[in-house]
């Protein structure tokens, strides 16, 4: 009977090599079920039929894009805090004054599950128009058992609702809820003794994250959360060293974290530890831009110590209301001086690794899940070149067409 789908006359940026795009010119890609079963030069294609053969007219194909760090499910918005910041207030000052994350906690607790789903689905639909096939979604605006569960249930429901792969992360240690003011250790007790066990019992999270920062939790409190996560069999991630050097990179490495994210203020020692541990660095240019930060993430040290670098939107209402992963790629180039090839790896191969999906997602390779994007571009660097616009011409999600407009 043959393959289910055969794509021919395309140029593949496979991202299957440690550096560069892994280009195959005049390529063909065969898909069976949800997997890529053959990829190579069209001239080398084995003689085998396919139920559907589609000529892509020389278009480029990349792995599906992966947004590996988002806070997509939340109530309300915080445009008035944006206005306050434009008048001179800082993100930390707003947080200390009772706004910031805690104001989104109020709105998220007040919202019904159905309301949260509608709002998050609209954001996800926008991200998906640019070829997003996998997204990570964190909790962290519930901050009690009932509302963390509510957020994560909505995140889980978005996968089937939108035909996208969703990985969920419990970020109960995101901020101190108002009812625990002055009692951070008591809140960490609640996280460890009640929230995480309840989440794990219902299989609502694939990983556990924490915000280690002056305005959030100390390294010791974070370590308690990580110990609990480990005992529940859940991998960890960390919002590390975003506003100050809290030793977050080294802490994440010590726990074998999947990723340490933000890391603007991380020391070289911490970066070296991440390299040793294989912890992925997730850089978030949207938050850097939107908070008008000055401290650049330590790109040279990351490269020197062989740390894989992923890029994400950090989509959230406070520090990065970003709904375009392609724009984040541009910002990673213009603000962080990453190369276009590094940024494409950052939203494919390395983003997959940041989610523990490196053996199945993020590359065009036989045996990998057939998540593919077809682009109207002349070269892959165009993906991080345009400011706005959308060259996506088609998406295949797990072997099935999700969208296509291939008229030439
Ligand atoms: O990744 N740093 C902490 N958490 C988010 C911001 C969340 C918010 O401000 O609502 C971040 O930047
Ligand atoms: Fe974040």
């Amino acid at each position: 009977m043959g393959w289910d789908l055969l794509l021919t006359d395309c140029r593949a940026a496979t991202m299957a090599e440690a550096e560069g795009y892994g280009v195959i010119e005049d390529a063909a890609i065969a898909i069976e079920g949800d997997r890529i079963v053959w990829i190579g030069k069209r001239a080398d294609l084995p003689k085998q039929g396919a139920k559907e053969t589609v000529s892509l007219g020389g278009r480029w194909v990349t792995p599906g894009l992966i947004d590996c760090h988002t806070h997509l499910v939340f109530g309300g918005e915080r445009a008035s805090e944006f206005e306050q910041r434009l008048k001179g207030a800082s993100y930390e000052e707003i947080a200390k004054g009772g706004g910031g994350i805690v104001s989104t906690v109020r709105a998220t607790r007040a919202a019904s599950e159905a309301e949260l789903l509608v709002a998050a689905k609209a954001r996800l639909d926008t991200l998906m128009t640019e070829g997003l096939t996998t997204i990570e979604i964190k909790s962290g605006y519930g901050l009690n058992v009932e509302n963390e569960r509510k957020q994560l249930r909505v995140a889980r429901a978005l996968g089937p609702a939108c035909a996208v792969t969703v990985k969920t992360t419990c970020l109960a240690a995101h901020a101190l809820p108002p009812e625990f003011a002055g009692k951070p250790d008591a809140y960490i007790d609640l996280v460890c003794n009640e929230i995480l066990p309840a989440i794990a019992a219902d299989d609502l999270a694939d990983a556990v994250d924490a915000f280690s920062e002056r305005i959030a939790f100390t390294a010791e409190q974070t370590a308690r959360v990580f110990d609990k996560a480990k005992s529940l069999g859940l991998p960890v991630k960390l919002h590390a060293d975003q506003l100050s050097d809290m030793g977050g990179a080294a802490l994440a490495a010590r726990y074998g974290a999947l990723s340490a994210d933000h890391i603007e203020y991380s020391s070289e020692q911490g970066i070296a530890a991440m390299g040793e541990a294989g912890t992925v660095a997730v850089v978030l240019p949207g938050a850097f831009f939107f908070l008008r930060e000055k401290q650049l993430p330590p790109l040279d040290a990351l490269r020197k110590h062989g740390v894989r670098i992923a890029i994400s939107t950090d989509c959230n209402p406070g520090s990065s209301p970003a709904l375009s992963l392609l724009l984040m790629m541009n910002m990673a180039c213009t603000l962080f001086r990453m190369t276009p090839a590094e940024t494409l790896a950052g939203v494919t191969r390395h983003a997959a690794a940041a989610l523990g999906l490196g053996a199945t997602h993020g590359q065009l390779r036989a045996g990998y899940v057939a998540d593919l994007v077809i682009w109207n571009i002349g070269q892959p660097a165009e993906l991080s070149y345009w400011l706005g616009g959308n060259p996506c011409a088609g998406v295949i999600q797990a072997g099935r067409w999700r969208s296509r407009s291939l008229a030439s």
Side-chain angles (χ1 to χ4, degrees):
M1 193 54 187
W3 298 309
D4 290 326
L5 176 61
L6 177 64
L7 304 173
T8 64
D9 190 15
C10 58
R11 308 166 82 186
T14 64
M15 310 315 287
E17 286 160 27
E19 283 182 16
Y21 296 111
V23 171
I24 305 174
E25 294 284 353
D26 198 3
I29 304 169
I31 294 168
E32 237 174 74
D34 66 351
R35 300 283 159 156
I36 296 170
V37 289
W38 191 91
I39 176 164
K41 288 237 167 244
R42 183 159 52 157
D44 301 331
L45 189 66
K47 291 248 170 308
Q48 188 171 329
K51 287 178 199 142
E52 183 187 7
T53 299
V54 179
S55 168
L56 297 180
R59 287 182 177 85
W60 280 92
V61 181
T62 69
L65 303 193
I66 299 173
D67 196 347
C68 66
H69 175 144
T70 83
H71 309 251
L72 196 79
V73 176
F74 56 84
E77 39 72 29
R78 307 224 297 269
S80 47
E81 286 183 11
F82 177 51
E83 290 180 304
Q84 275 174 263
R85 284 196 300 104
L86 291 172
K87 288 187 191 136
S90 76
Y91 183 71
E92 283 187 81
E93 280 161 7
I94 291 170
K96 283 185 192 134
I101 293 171
V102 165
S103 69
T104 298
V105 171
R106 281 190 291 271
T108 305
R109 285 178 175 180
S112 71
E113 207 157 318
E115 288 165 342
L116 290 175
L117 185 69
V118 168
K121 185 174 180 305
R123 293 187 275 271
L124 183 51
D125 285 339
T126 304
L127 285 163
M128 285 173 65
T129 60
E130 292 180 347
L132 191 91
T133 51
T134 299
I135 186 168
E136 184 256 18
I137 303 175
K138 302 175 195 294
S139 63
Y141 294 123
L143 309 188
N144 58 29
V145 173
E146 179 197 340
N147 286 287
E148 285 291 298
R149 285 163 58 104
K150 178 174 76 177
Q151 254 197 292
L152 290 167
R153 276 197 305 267
V154 172
R156 281 271 194 245
L158 283 165
C162 293
V164 73
T165 300
V166 173
K167 294 287 267 183
T168 59
T169 301
C170 181
L171 176 58
H174 192 198
L176 195 59
E179 61 276 17
F180 280 85
K183 296 183 288 184
D185 286 307
Y187 178 62
I188 295 295
D189 287 343
L190 180 81
V191 172
C192 294
N193 300 335
E194 295 185 37
I195 300 181
L196 291 181
I199 298 299
D202 287 351
D203 192 24
L204 283 171
D206 302 308
V208 170
D209 195 347
F211 186 21
S212 175
E213 193 51 70
R214 293 185 297 232
I215 54 169
F217 298 101
T218 63
E220 290 72 32
Q221 289 159 346
T222 303
R224 287 182 56 205
V225 173
F226 281 5
D227 283 329
K228 187 67 196 189
K230 291 262 151 173
S231 79
L232 293 167
L234 290 167
V236 298
K237 311 169 80 66
L238 186 64
H239 280 72
D241 309 325
Q242 178 186 9
L243 309 168
S244 60
D245 183 6
M246 300 276 294
L251 177 71
R254 195 159 72 244
Y255 279 85
L258 287 172
S259 68
D261 304 30
H262 290 287
I263 61 161
E264 279 89 338
Y265 285 85
S266 297
S267 66
E268 179 158 356
Q269 211 183 356
I271 299 300
M274 286 173 63
E276 289 283 310
T279 295
V280 176
V282 181
V283 297
L284 302 165
F288 178 91
F289 169 80
F290 196 66
L291 296 182
R292 306 180 77 224
E293 293 289 346
K294 299 284 179 294
Q295 176 85 18
L296 288 161
L299 264 297
D300 287 341
L302 291 169
R303 292 186 187 109
K304 177 175 149 196
H305 293 284
V307 179
R308 294 166 293 176
I309 307 167
I311 297 164
S312 167
T313 60
D314 193 12
C315 179
N316 76 72
S319 69
S320 188
L323 293 173
S324 167
L325 197 50
L326 295 180
L327 182 58
M328 299 304 108
M329 291 168 68
N330 174 275
M331 286 185 180
C333 294
T334 52
L335 300 173
F336 297 168
R337 289 287 173 249
M338 290 178 69
T339 67
E342 283 177 321
T343 68
L344 186 56
V347 297
T348 55
R349 181 189 175 105
H350 299 328
L355 298 179
L357 296 174
T360 48
H361 291 72
Q363 299 177 46
L364 301 181
R365 186 192 267 262
Y368 272 55
V369 171
D371 286 349
L372 281 65
V373 191
I374 299 152
W375 303 99
N376 289 325
I377 52 174
Q379 55 173 317
E382 267 192 76
L383 295 176
S384 49
Y385 162 79
W386 295 99
L387 292 161
N390 182 5
C392 178
V395 180
I396 294 170
Q397 174 97 32
R400 303 170 81 111
W401 287 102
R402 197 178 80 191
S403 67
R404 69 173 131 173
S405 68
L406 297 175
S408 51

